[in-house]
Amino acid sequence: MNYIKWGFIGCGEVTEIKSGPAFSEVDGSSVVAVMSRTEERARTYAVRHGVPKWYTDAQELIDDPDVNAVYVATPPSSHATFAIMAMKAGKPVYVEKPLASTYEDCARVNRVSEETGVPCFVAYYRRYLPYFQKVKDIVNSGQIGKVVNVHVRFAVPPREEDQTGKLPWRLQPDIAGGGYFYDLAPHQLDILQDIFGVIIEARGICANRGGLYQAEDSVSACFQFENGLPGSGSWCFVAHESAREDHIELIGEKGSVSFSVFDYKPIRLHTSDGMESISVPNPPYVQYPLIKKVIEHLQGLGICECTSVSATPVNWALDRILGKF
């Protein structure tokens, strides 16, 4: 494929800044169609972003001969369905994270990708951001020595919409796969697996302590990577503001490095030489580096390893921690 002509299934918030504009920033790529079940949303999005076509039916967008690649930006419960529809039509897919709302659906996507020979990529864009590339460089260069333990700590207060009674889709397990844990923890677990390899053991304890909704709001977990490295994590989505935290710490034999996943606070490197604070800016469109890799892969100019196969272990670990199987 020389020129990639994208069709978007879903045109919600994530496509406005994080991802959407990046598809037209890369040479040899543009957005030619968008789809939303709501006609007004599809039409106004197309007009606002200069997209020539809009649809209210996903199959019609996939069947459009002008579309040769599909971006699935819907809630997780429909990711597998739309990805499979596109791949069966011979069109490569870029899917928002997590790949699906269950591990079993991820396996379905991988089977169809293998059967059709059509690639499926997943939007774990943090793998390619300069901020996390720096963290990986610190680990791989041996500055903190052999990493012996990993710990994730995340706590935020409830959002206003959590207390209105009309819950956002992220708090509806049949749509999202779980609560906020299933929405946010994938980024944390994916970047850790990108550094240390696949998680092969995981278990957790989940609770609903706030009583604001049915999904879990507090999770504690332990896990182990394929290289034997142990890790643990705690997530709370009903914390007091004073407990707000976005922190991952990698403890090594010669030091430690800590960083955030969502706030992009300066990376803190502790060694026998002292503490160093490292600020690393990210591009305006945070998905741009990954989208560029995907497009170059489709153009035969490189290889993007952020595929559905590499994304599936995240869902496996999520489902194990939540006790879904």
Side-chain angles (χ1 to χ4, degrees):
M1 301 171 69
N2 294 321
Y3 197 92
I4 316 302
K5 295 176 287 186
W6 293 94
F8 288 6
I9 298 178
C11 47
E13 180 183 356
V14 70
T15 68
E16 291 286 353
I17 298 174
K18 288 184 177 181
S19 63
F23 287 92
S24 298
E25 291 285 320
V26 181
D27 290 341
S29 170
S30 64
V31 183
V32 299
V34 295
M35 172 267 167
S36 173
R37 290 178 300 176
T38 305
E39 179 178 332
E40 182 180 359
R41 176 178 291 181
R43 177 177 51 79
T44 57
Y45 186 97
V47 171
R48 190 166 65 253
H49 293 279
V51 178
K53 301 180 183 181
W54 57 270
Y55 294 95
T56 57
D57 183 271
Q59 190 65 64
E60 290 183 9
L61 178 140
I62 290 169
D63 291 340
D64 187 330
D66 287 335
V67 172
N68 61 10
V70 175
Y71 172 34
V72 178
T74 59
S77 60
S78 58
H79 285 182
T81 297
F82 291 138
I84 288 170
M85 287 167 59
M87 289 188 291
K88 286 188 173 181
K91 300 185 179 184
V93 194
Y94 179 69
V95 184
E96 269 303 322
K97 64 80 209 163
L99 173 57
S101 57
T102 66
Y103 169 73
E104 288 82 0
D105 275 351
C106 294
R108 289 175 53 223
V109 171
N110 291 332
R111 282 197 300 270
V112 173
S113 180
E114 183 177 8
E115 291 167 358
T116 61
V118 178
C120 177
F121 304 95
V122 183
Y124 283 120
Y125 59 87
R126 282 173 169 81
R127 296 188 197 181
Y128 293 96
L129 281 178
Y131 181 93
F132 299 101
Q133 290 285 327
K134 181 61 178 179
V135 173
K136 287 192 280 188
D137 287 345
I138 290 171
V139 173
N140 294 335
S141 67
Q143 293 183 61
I144 62 171
K146 179 182 179 181
V147 178
V148 294
N149 203 285
V150 172
H151 187 60
V152 181
R153 296 195 299 275
F154 188 82
V156 289
R159 304 180 186 186
E160 287 186 13
E161 58 264 36
D162 302 348
Q163 305 172 64
T164 62
K166 185 178 181 181
L167 296 180
W169 64 260
R170 289 177 174 84
L171 291 176
Q172 301 177 47
D174 58 329
I175 298 175
Y180 285 128
F181 175 77
Y182 219 88
D183 181 52
L184 298 177
H187 278 303
Q188 297 162 318
L189 296 181
D190 181 75
I191 198 65
L192 289 174
Q193 290 191 106
D194 189 46
I195 299 172
F196 299 113
V198 172
I199 291 173
I200 60 170
E201 186 176 352
R203 52 188 179 273
I205 296 175
C206 311
N208 184 297
R209 302 297 292 167
L212 299 175
Y213 42 80
Q214 293 295 314
E216 75 288 337
D217 60 25
S218 296
V219 177
S220 293
C222 57
F223 41 89
Q224 186 174 40
F225 298 90
E226 59 185 336
N227 65 358
L229 174 66
S232 60
S234 62
W235 293 261
C236 181
F237 303 97
V238 289
H240 185 264
E241 177 63 36
S242 63
R244 183 185 290 271
E245 189 170 19
D246 173 13
H247 186 90
I248 294 182
E249 185 172 19
L250 312 179
I251 302 170
E253 294 178 324
K254 297 180 180 179
S256 65
V257 61
S258 60
F259 57 99
S260 62
V261 173
F262 304 100
D263 295 338
Y264 305 114
K265 293 178 180 177
I267 299 163
R268 296 174 67 88
L269 173 62
H270 294 261
T271 66
S272 56
D273 295 329
M275 194 280 288
E276 182 181 359
S277 181
I278 306 167
S279 296
V280 182
N282 286 318
Y285 309 128
V286 290
Q287 291 200 27
Y288 175 84
L290 173 54
I291 290 170
K292 185 173 186 290
K293 285 281 188 182
V294 169
I295 291 168
E296 289 174 346
H297 184 115
L298 297 177
Q299 293 171 332
L301 302 176
I303 298 294
C304 178
E305 297 179 348
C306 204
T307 64
S308 59
V309 172
S310 75
T312 294
V314 172
N315 284 78
W316 183 89
L318 294 172
D319 286 5
R320 297 287 286 193
I321 290 169
L322 292 183
K324 292 172 71 173
F325 65 83

